[in-house]
Amino acid sequence: MKQKVYPSKIIATAKSINVTKLPWILYIDKKLLPTCGGIYFIGTDQEPTAYIGQAGSLKTRFIGHHRKTAFEQLVDECGQKDVKIRYWQAPLMPKSELVLFLSQLESYLIENSKTRFNYTANSLPKTPFQSRHRTYYGPIYVQLNKLGEYYVPKSSDGTSGFYFSLEKIHMAENAIKYHSPTFIISSGTWKDALYEYENNLESEWKQYSTLYFLEVKFQARWINYVGQGGMEDYVLSGNQATFYRIFLNEHPGFKEFSIKYLRTGLTNCSKSDFCETLLNLTR
């Protein structure tokens, strides 16, 4: 691929930017950003350029940012007091010139930096761990609930399950076909967890904006249809159910797993190496 050629002004400006000495605010205080245009860098002191972006207005750029989920996961991983937005203020120039200038400067900086969330050829690996030997090769499913959200409790015969939407029926049927290991993971804030688990929490978990707990594992066996008043609820149930309360945020590889697979509802997560961790935690 032909290498992109940048104007000398762009190269000189980029080389003059010392990211570690730029003004900064905490990511959680992003509403305090100035309204000026410029380049921003999101990261920690150890990894200051996890993401590089540009904006005509730094303050409004973070309204509905397309990488919001990734940034919040970085906060979960590193803590609210460690993730910063460093910013470089662009010089005054006509708006038409500013747009092109910032676009070229951002592109040059990304190409010549190690980033995690820009997904370029020079980006850091998306997963910080090596693919491991798998002990289970069939489909594996995970259901994300909010902390305290109702699921079907374990009965005396060792069965359990959870409600799922009709649009996930194909996944539920496939889980039954292979008697798949199925996990229930709950998420919520520190206050949610404190309400649900009372005082059985570690104080250092407060640093995470969202806490994740592995709650239940069972083998999918059947679907129950519970109808009332013309409405039907679908319940994926199984046996060999075991209940846990395992805090997941601190486990290697969980951050990437949560970004890609932890969506509300039933999800096939078989391709993730973190499945092996889930299986090991519940053996």
Side-chain angles (χ1 to χ4, degrees):
M1 181 182 293
K2 187 176 180 181
Q3 188 173 9
K4 190 172 182 179
V5 178
Y6 293 91
S8 58
K9 182 180 179 181
I10 294 296
I11 298 173
T13 302
K15 290 183 176 180
S16 71
I17 297 175
N18 186 336
V19 177
T20 60
K21 293 186 177 181
L22 291 174
W24 60 270
I25 64 169
L26 293 175
Y27 176 78
I28 59 174
D29 296 327
K30 55 187 176 294
K31 291 182 179 179
L32 302 178
L33 280 165
T35 57
C36 63
I39 302 291
Y40 59 92
F41 306 83
I42 297 179
T44 63
D45 289 342
Q46 293 73 35
E47 186 189 353
T49 58
Y51 183 84
I52 300 173
Q54 58 91 9
S57 170
L58 294 169
K59 187 180 183 71
T60 59
R61 179 64 188 92
F62 285 85
I63 300 175
H65 199 291
H66 67 292
R67 291 277 187 250
K68 179 182 177 182
T69 299
F71 300 155
E72 290 178 348
Q73 291 294 338
L74 187 63
V75 172
D76 284 345
E77 175 187 343
C78 302
Q80 294 183 353
K81 300 298 184 182
D82 291 314
V83 180
K84 301 174 180 178
I85 303 175
R86 295 173 170 86
Y87 56 92
W88 175 85
Q89 184 173 343
L92 292 176
M93 62 180 72
K95 185 175 181 180
S96 58
E97 295 179 19
L98 179 64
V99 171
L100 178 60
F101 177 78
L102 289 178
S103 177
Q104 290 180 328
L105 182 57
E106 175 198 38
S107 180
Y108 181 88
L109 287 166
I110 291 172
E111 285 185 13
N112 292 276
S113 302
K114 290 292 186 181
T115 72
R116 188 194 299 199
F117 300 121
N118 289 103
Y119 303 147
T120 67
N122 290 332
S123 293
L124 295 172
K126 297 183 182 66
T127 55
F129 58 102
Q130 297 296 319
S131 180
R132 65 180 73 175
H133 174 69
R134 303 295 288 269
T135 60
Y136 182 86
Y137 292 93
I140 299 174
Y141 292 88
V142 62
Q143 165 95 353
L144 178 65
N145 286 349
K146 293 181 180 179
L147 271 170
E149 190 173 86
Y150 180 73
Y151 52 81
V152 182
K154 182 178 178 181
S155 63
S156 58
D157 60 357
T159 62
S160 185
F162 52 78
Y163 294 99
F164 67 93
S165 62
L166 180 60
E167 64 187 26
K168 301 284 188 174
I169 189 70
H170 63 289
M171 287 192 183
E173 290 174 342
N174 202 50
I176 292 169
K177 178 180 178 181
Y178 293 100
H179 298 166
S180 297
T182 305
F183 298 92
I184 299 175
I185 293 176
S186 293
S187 68
T189 64
W190 169 263
K191 288 184 178 179
D192 295 331
L194 196 62
Y195 178 82
E196 186 71 13
Y197 299 129
E198 297 181 346
N199 295 320
N200 298 316
L201 301 173
E202 300 292 337
S203 59
E204 58 265 28
W205 297 351
K206 284 184 178 181
Q207 66 178 298
Y208 299 100
S209 59
T210 304
L211 282 65
Y212 294 89
F213 295 90
L214 174 58
E215 302 274 9
V216 186
K217 174 194 173 186
F218 63 86
Q219 283 193 329
R221 294 288 183 176
W222 56 85
I223 296 173
N224 292 329
Y225 304 92
V226 183
Q228 185 175 3
M231 301 291 290
E232 279 192 332
D233 285 328
Y234 298 84
V235 180
L236 177 62
S237 301
N239 58 7
Q240 301 182 30
T242 310
F243 278 54
Y244 306 87
R245 198 198 76 230
I246 301 173
F247 184 63
L248 294 174
N249 294 60
E250 297 174 333
H251 286 273
F254 176 74
K255 173 182 169 295
E256 288 74 19
F257 174 80
S258 63
I259 292 174
K260 191 167 185 179
Y261 294 101
L262 287 190
R263 309 177 185 93
T264 301
L266 186 63
T267 303
N268 185 333
C269 60
S270 310
K271 293 183 179 180
S272 172
D273 280 347
F274 193 75
C275 286
E276 194 65 28
T277 298
L278 293 175
L279 292 170
N280 287 333
L281 288 171
T282 54
R283 283 195 170 98

